[in-house]
Amino acid sequence: MTISIDRIDPRDTTQLDFARTAPQIVDAARAIPTATLHEAGGKIGAFASAIKPVAPGFRLCGPAVTVHAPGGDNLWLHRAIYAAQPGDVLVVSVSDAFEHGYWGEVMSTASQVRGLAGLVIDGCVRDGGLLEEIGFPVFARGLCIRGTGKDFGARGWINAPTVFGDVTVHAGDLIVGDSDGVVCIPRDRAGTVVEAGIAREANEADQCRRLRAGETTLDIFGWG
């Protein structure tokens, strides 16, 4: 007896044509800490503090490819790897079903071969040691060995606006991740925010120089 499965056509909820943050802005953002970009943009775009790099040296920067996946299912993540372009960052919501290992060695290898820039997932992954060895940047809530399914009848979305806590990410937004966490800068503000971030870094370097020369923070900021 053959059991029929009603399959969702992923093309119905996958958008491939969208504007990305310009490459020169992405390049300029690589050297700017996430906290600086968050502050320079007016305290915007900070992802949940639980989302951290799986390995200490991981850093990522690139335009977002957003994924909204059914809880406990990673089929849409596999699809997103091949919907994305080189340099893109997969930004994945898992419907608040955090406690599954949605990603591992095979998917990191596939994404590295594709030239993607990294993964940010509001959930867990597994194969932590192998992910560090592969070197493909992964940011997640933690490690979890619990497996996922692949339901071909479950609907997901690729490149639809996707909510991560109080941050809404649109396809093409600038995503930056470092040891402090992850920040999203809206594509249409990315150039201005990156410029402000560069200026902020220069200003803070000057403040540290003045502190080493004997001034106090109260002097520098006029709080004395």
Side-chain angles (χ1 to χ4, degrees):
M1 176 179 176
T2 301
I3 299 175
S4 169
I5 299 174
D6 291 330
R7 290 183 173 236
I8 295 292
D9 187 341
R11 294 173 296 183
D12 291 344
T13 54
T14 297
Q15 180 181 351
L16 298 178
D17 185 16
F18 60 91
R20 290 169 166 82
T21 299
Q24 65 270 24
I25 297 174
V26 173
D27 288 342
R30 294 186 197 284
I32 306 175
T34 54
T36 297
L37 289 169
H38 164 69
E39 295 282 358
K43 295 182 170 60
I44 62 168
F47 275 34
S49 61
I51 301 175
K52 289 289 193 293
V54 171
F58 282 171
R59 179 179 173 88
L60 56 76
C61 183
V65 164
T66 63
V67 185
H68 185 97
D73 193 299
N74 73 351
L75 178 58
W76 286 89
L77 281 71
H78 282 274
R79 289 168 170 161
I81 292 170
Y82 299 99
Q85 296 182 6
D88 287 343
V89 175
L90 301 183
V91 186
V92 181
S93 167
V94 295
S95 305
D96 294 336
F98 306 134
E99 291 296 315
H100 294 271
Y102 289 91
W103 188 275
E105 174 191 13
V106 170
M107 298 172 81
S108 274
T109 301
S111 297
Q112 191 175 64
V113 169
R114 290 277 296 163
L116 306 189
L119 166 76
V120 178
I121 183 168
D122 193 12
C124 292
V125 299
R126 58 188 183 183
D127 299 337
L130 290 170
L131 297 189
E132 181 174 11
E133 184 178 322
I134 292 166
F136 180 78
V138 173
F139 286 64
R141 282 183 173 264
L143 299 175
C144 180
I145 63 172
R146 181 175 293 143
T148 58
K150 291 171 182 63
D151 183 353
F152 287 85
R155 188 175 300 279
W157 289 263
I158 297 176
N159 291 323
T162 307
V163 175
F164 299 82
D166 60 356
V167 179
T168 299
V169 181
H170 294 80
D173 285 350
L174 175 64
I175 304 295
V176 182
D178 61 18
S179 58
D180 283 343
V182 178
V183 66
C184 171
I185 306 298
R187 180 185 60 82
D188 60 359
R189 294 190 56 199
T192 301
V193 172
V194 167
E195 287 182 5
I198 292 170
R200 185 181 177 91
E201 284 291 287
N203 191 39
E204 289 187 354
D206 183 63
Q207 291 165 3
C208 290
R209 178 192 61 76
R210 292 170 63 183
L211 289 169
R212 294 187 195 97
E215 292 186 68
T216 70
T217 55
L218 300 179
D219 296 330
I220 292 172
F221 299 115
W223 296 335

